[in-house]
């Protein structure tokens, strides 16, 4: 039982890291209906920027603020250069654009900062500590706290601010939003900026786990089952989806691994997501279409 | 909501379209020289069959055309004597012109009150002012107050139309471009909504440009009317005068010289006789 709890908690906490990546997707998808293929590349770009700035002698907080500023600037540039010319184009063109953006960002990141794997030490000791006999990773707890904070801030922003309300309005019906004078460009710039900030946090946490390297970009793929489980339009869904994926893949690895052979962790989330698609295609928290005449 | 900003120039029409042409996708010519005026405090009806170009005309004014790959290629649009055809939709809203789109377009996953609040996006207002604006809207539409916490997607068609109009009122407009408000509503409810518009017009001095296929209802509501066919104005006049015009009766009100005609007859006639071939 104690072992089960340990696996479960470890899984849940590592799931938080998936949630963070998924969160970036949800923000952009919600406001613009675009699946931002480049979210993973943004994570890589953010982490690499932070590490490289620190390497060049900036103090930790300075590097953090500078990276944040760069991610926000990047969001504005993307809105201006990539999104604005594609307004009113079919969703597929925008998806293509974000795929192109992925390569640009990866190239840019490695061109500017180099392609060596870099270590990232946030200074949080990754030693497990004991909670009533159950070992919990301190780093995972820290990551979970950060994610929780980020989500709370975003949720409050969406629910109670003028711009947050405008974002939800645009997500619902962008024509109507436009007719009320809500400028789509502003809204898009805001969500991309938020997604950029989330990417920075995700990049730092993942980077300190895996090292800052090209593979960070691929965590995009890890987010997919999370999104299918949680729904593409729900912040809560991204969180719960991430927890589910984290917990179930660890449990599957430990309990099904001996039967089915190892490496389950890598494909189990996809199977789960596929099964889920059959039962509830809009995801756990995805917005149902309200069909009413 | 009251006609807040004092107009910079109190003479001449509030809105004036001067032979505008509108083209979609660079090639599809939809409006072929439409001219019309909306006087200050006036209610003007834009009438015509489906596809005549009513919605396009309204979108040319609100400048929502651009987002549909449409553009005004000829002619001018003046508001208060100033050209507005190059403004963004946001700037048009800031100048007090708001379009209530055909088909209501409420934000389904926002509550009724949140829908209303989105109308206040462009104008920075204090909390107290927002509250006052909301109460004014609720004053005109008491039903919305009852439903304020309900998601708009779960309200009835009539309530959604009220939400759409109320949301527009939150922008404090001087001119409302109202696109087929009675579409899909029971006649009584449509009439109720038009009554509220009339009160808005009389009490707050809000002007209206109303696009309608329901010619009878529109002519009862409006002061002045324009009839659009195939992207051209084919007739205009005082509402009462239009309502008594034999051709209008025949083609739009379904009333011939020999009394009420069936829809089929009207269609038959329309095929034979048009103002413009
Ligand atoms: N976005 C668009 N692209 C191309 N053609 C359009 C577009 N919107 C409307 N049209 C065409 O313009 C004409 C007028 O449409 P519309 O202004 O909606 O008429 P109404 O509102 O009077 O029914 C129609 O023939 C319609 O097919
Ligand atoms: Mg129309």
């Amino acid at each position: 039982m104690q072992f089960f709890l340990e696996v479960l908690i470890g899984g849940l906490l590592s799931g938080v890291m998936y949630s963070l990546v998924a969160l970036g997707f949800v923000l952009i998808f919600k406001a613009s209906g675009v699946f931002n293929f480049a979210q993973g590349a943004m994570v890589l770009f953010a982490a690499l920027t932070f590490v490289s700035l620190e390497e060049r002698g900036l103090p930790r907080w300075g590097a953090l603020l500078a990276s944040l500023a760069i991610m926000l600037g990047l969001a504005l540039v993307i809105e201006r250069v990539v999104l604005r010319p594609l307004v009113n184009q079919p969703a597929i063109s925008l998806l293509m654009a974000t795929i192109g953006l992925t390569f640009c960002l990866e190239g840019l990141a490695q061109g500017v900062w180099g392609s060596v794997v870099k270590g990232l030490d946030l200074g949080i000791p990754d030693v497990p500590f004991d909670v009533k006999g159950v070992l919990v990773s301190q780093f995972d707890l820290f990551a979970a706290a950060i994610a929780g904070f980020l989500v709370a801030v975003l949720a409050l922003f969406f629910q109670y601010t003028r711009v947050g309300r405008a974002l939800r309005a645009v997500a619902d019906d962008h024509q109507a939003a436009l007719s009320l004078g809500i400028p789509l460009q502003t809204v898009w710039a805001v969500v991309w900026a938020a997604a950029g900030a989330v990417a920075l946090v995700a990049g730092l946490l993942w980077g300190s786990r895996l090292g800052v390297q090209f593979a960070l970009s691929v965590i995009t793929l890890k987010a997919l089952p999370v999104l299918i489980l949680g729904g593409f339009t729900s912040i809560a869904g991204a969180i719960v989806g991430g927890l589910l994926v984290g917990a179930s893949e660890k449990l599957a690895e430990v309990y099904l691994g001996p039967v089915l052979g190892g490496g389950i962790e890598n494909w189990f989330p996809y199977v789960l997501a596929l099964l889920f698609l059959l039962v509830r295609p809009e995801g756990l928290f995805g917005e149902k279409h309200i069909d009413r005449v | 909501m009251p006609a807040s900003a004092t107009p910079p120039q109190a003479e001449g029409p509030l809105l004036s379209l001067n032979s505008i042409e509108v083209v979609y996708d660079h090639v599809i010519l939809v409006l072929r020289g439409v001219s019309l005026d909306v006087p200050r405090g006036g209610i003007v009806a834009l009438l015509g069959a489906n596809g005549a170009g009513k919605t396009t005309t309204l979108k040319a004014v609100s400048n929502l055309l651009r987002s549909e790959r449409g553009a005004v290629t000829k002619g001018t649009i003046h508001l208060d004597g100033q050209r507005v055809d190059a403004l963004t939709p946001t700037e048009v809203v800031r100048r007090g012109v708001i379009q209530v789109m055909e088909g209501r377009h409420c934000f389904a996953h926002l509550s009724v009150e949140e829908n209303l609040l989105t109308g206040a996006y462009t104008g920075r207002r204090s909390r107290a002012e927002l509250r006052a604006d909301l109460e004014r809207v609720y004053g005109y539409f008491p039903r919305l107050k009852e439903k304020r916490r309900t998601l708009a997607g779960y309200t009835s068609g009539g309530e959604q139309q009220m939400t759409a109009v109320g949301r527009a009122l939150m922008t404090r407009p001087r001119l409302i471009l109202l696109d087929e408000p009675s579409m899909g509503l029971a006649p009584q409810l449509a009439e109720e909504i038009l009554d509220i518009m009339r009160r808005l017009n009389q009490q707050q001095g809000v002007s209206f440009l109303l696009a309608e296929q329901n010619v009878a209802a529109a002519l009862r509501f409006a002061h002045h009317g324009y009839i659009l066919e195939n992207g051209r104005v084919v007739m205009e006049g005082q509402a009462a005068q239009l309502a008594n015009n034999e051709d209008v009766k025949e083609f739009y009100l379904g009333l011939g010289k020999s009394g009420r005609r069936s829809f089929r007859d009207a269609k038959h006639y329309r095929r034979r006789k048009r103002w413009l071939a």
Side-chain angles (χ1 to χ4, degrees):
Chain A
M1 187 59 203
Q2 183 189 330
F3 177 64
F4 172 81
L5 271 183
E6 250 164 49
V7 176
L8 179 66
I9 290 173
L12 286 175
L13 291 177
S14 70
V16 168
M17 307 266 284
Y18 299 144
S19 304
L20 270 182
V21 182
L23 193 57
F25 283 102
V26 167
L27 285 174
I28 288 175
F29 190 82
K30 207 172 152 64
S32 54
V34 177
F35 181 84
N36 177 23
F37 202 82
Q39 186 68 27
M42 280 164 67
V43 171
L44 169 72
F45 185 88
L48 211 51
T49 304
F50 175 81
V51 177
S52 308
L53 287 176
E54 217 180 22
E55 261 180 13
R56 279 165 181 66
L58 254 69
R60 171 143 302 174
W61 284 107
L64 189 64
L65 289 179
S67 311
L68 188 62
I70 289 174
M71 291 313 288
L72 300 186
L74 186 70
L76 297 184
V77 172
I78 290 173
E79 190 278 316
R80 190 81 224 209
V81 177
V82 183
L83 300 177
R84 206 175 289 187
L86 288 177
V87 174
N88 300 315
Q89 299 302 314
I92 187 77
S93 318
L94 282 160
L95 174 65
M96 288 310 192
T98 68
I99 292 177
L101 187 62
T102 307
F103 296 111
C104 293
L105 281 178
E106 286 174 0
L108 185 65
Q110 300 189 5
V112 177
W113 306 122
S115 55
V116 224
V117 180
K118 297 176 184 185
L120 169 58
D121 182 11
L122 292 178
I124 302 135
D126 197 2
V127 284
F129 68 99
D130 204 306
V131 184
K132 293 198 176 137
V134 179
L135 293 178
V136 179
S137 152
Q138 198 171 332
F139 180 85
D140 285 347
L141 269 185
F142 173 77
I146 297 275
F149 176 72
L150 208 58
V151 170
V153 169
L154 285 173
L156 289 174
F157 172 71
F158 266 94
Q159 200 59 37
Y160 295 112
T161 66
R162 186 179 77 110
V163 176
R165 195 160 44 229
L167 287 172
R168 285 185 293 142
V170 170
D172 253 13
D173 187 330
H174 71 275
Q175 273 288 329
L178 202 59
S179 81
L180 293 165
I182 296 173
L184 298 186
Q185 296 94 317
T186 311
V187 166
W188 284 4
V190 169
V191 283
W192 278 76
V198 171
L200 176 61
V201 175
L204 294 183
L205 294 176
W206 276 97
S208 65
R209 258 288 157 77
L210 306 176
V212 177
Q213 53 171 325
F214 201 72
L216 276 186
S217 187
V218 184
I219 57 178
T220 309
L221 296 179
K222 270 288 186 193
L224 207 54
V226 175
L227 291 169
I228 292 173
L229 284 171
F232 276 77
T233 51
S234 162
I235 292 181
I239 301 306
V240 175
L243 295 178
L244 269 179
V245 165
S248 61
E249 71 177 17
K250 291 290 183 298
L251 288 173
E253 184 72 40
V254 170
Y255 290 101
L256 296 179
V259 188
L260 298 173
I264 288 185
E265 225 177 309
N266 294 324
W267 53 261
F268 189 78
Y270 292 94
V271 175
L272 198 66
L274 280 177
L275 290 177
F276 211 78
L277 266 184
L278 298 176
V279 188
R280 223 185 129 86
E282 74 271 20
L284 276 175
F285 293 82
E287 275 172 352
K288 285 203 209 89
H289 275 286
I290 300 183
D291 284 322
R292 191 159 167 176
V293 188
Chain B
M1 317 218 275
S4 51
T6 39
Q9 179 190 322
E11 288 156 38
L14 176 61
L15 177 75
S16 174
L17 273 60
N18 189 3
S19 18
I20 60 162
E21 267 187 25
V22 168
V23 173
Y24 283 111
D25 285 319
H26 300 292
V27 286
I28 309 168
L29 178 64
V30 170
L31 295 190
R32 305 146 194 267
V34 169
S35 299
L36 62 82
D37 284 347
V38 179
R40 280 161 216 291
I43 301 179
V44 172
L46 193 56
L47 309 168
N50 198 8
K54 304 180 295 295
T55 299
T56 302
T57 308
L58 298 192
K59 286 190 171 170
V61 178
S62 60
N63 224 333
L64 294 175
L65 270 186
R66 219 177 297 161
S67 73
E68 294 199 27
R69 297 186 299 279
V72 178
T73 49
K74 275 195 194 141
T76 54
I77 303 174
H78 286 88
L79 182 73
D80 284 326
Q82 291 174 342
R83 282 193 66 161
V84 290
D85 26 317
L87 299 185
T88 63
T90 307
E91 289 164 335
V92 174
V93 171
R94 286 223 169 95
R95 299 221 182 168
V97 177
I98 185 81
Q99 177 163 358
V100 177
M101 292 200 295
E102 187 175 350
R104 312 192 253 281
H105 285 272
C106 287
F107 303 120
H109 298 96
L110 270 63
S111 72
V112 166
E113 185 155 299
E114 284 177 327
N115 265 274
L116 297 180
L117 287 172
T118 56
Y121 183 89
T122 49
R124 294 223 166 247
R125 266 165 248 179
S126 72
R127 214 167 256 272
E129 284 175 307
L130 268 184
R131 202 63 249 168
D133 282 353
L134 278 177
E135 287 308 323
R136 218 162 337 183
V137 171
Y138 290 142
Y140 282 100
F141 300 103
R143 278 200 14 220
L144 294 186
K145 188 158 193 176
E146 288 163 35
K147 299 272 178 168
R148 62 207 280 192
R149 306 248 173 268
T150 311
L151 291 191
Y154 290 120
T155 60
S156 72
E159 286 156 357
Q160 288 188 12
Q161 185 64 63
M162 293 177 191
T163 304
V165 174
R167 197 171 62 178
L169 287 178
M170 291 295 288
T171 66
R172 299 183 172 175
R174 293 186 286 151
L175 170 63
I176 298 183
L177 311 168
L178 200 53
D179 201 351
E180 311 239 8
S182 57
M183 192 173 65
L185 297 184
Q188 203 185 339
L189 193 57
E191 208 59 54
E192 188 186 322
I193 289 180
L194 286 182
D195 274 340
I196 296 174
M197 304 292 144
R198 194 175 289 121
R199 274 172 51 211
L200 274 166
N201 174 256
Q202 286 162 1
Q203 297 169 0
Q204 314 259 341
V206 181
S207 310
F208 285 88
L209 177 55
L210 167 77
E212 262 296 352
Q213 283 187 65
N214 182 347
V215 173
L219 285 180
R220 253 175 283 136
F221 169 61
H223 308 142
H224 200 89
Y226 291 82
I227 295 179
L228 212 57
E229 229 181 62
N230 247 322
R232 286 195 180 96
V233 175
V234 291
M235 186 181 266
E236 69 162 298
Q238 297 295 318
Q241 195 184 324
L242 283 179
N244 286 317
N245 180 290
E246 289 305 325
D247 285 333
V248 175
K249 276 188 187 168
E250 216 169 311
F251 301 127
Y252 289 99
L253 300 173
L255 299 166
K257 293 174 196 85
S258 51
R260 196 169 272 280
R261 280 174 189 278
S262 78
F263 180 60
R264 281 191 64 174
D265 289 338
K267 265 181 97 169
H268 175 67
Y269 260 85
R270 201 181 300 179
R271 231 177 287 133
R272 277 181 24 208
K273 184 180 168 190
R274 308 197 65 146
W275 281 296
L276 274 163

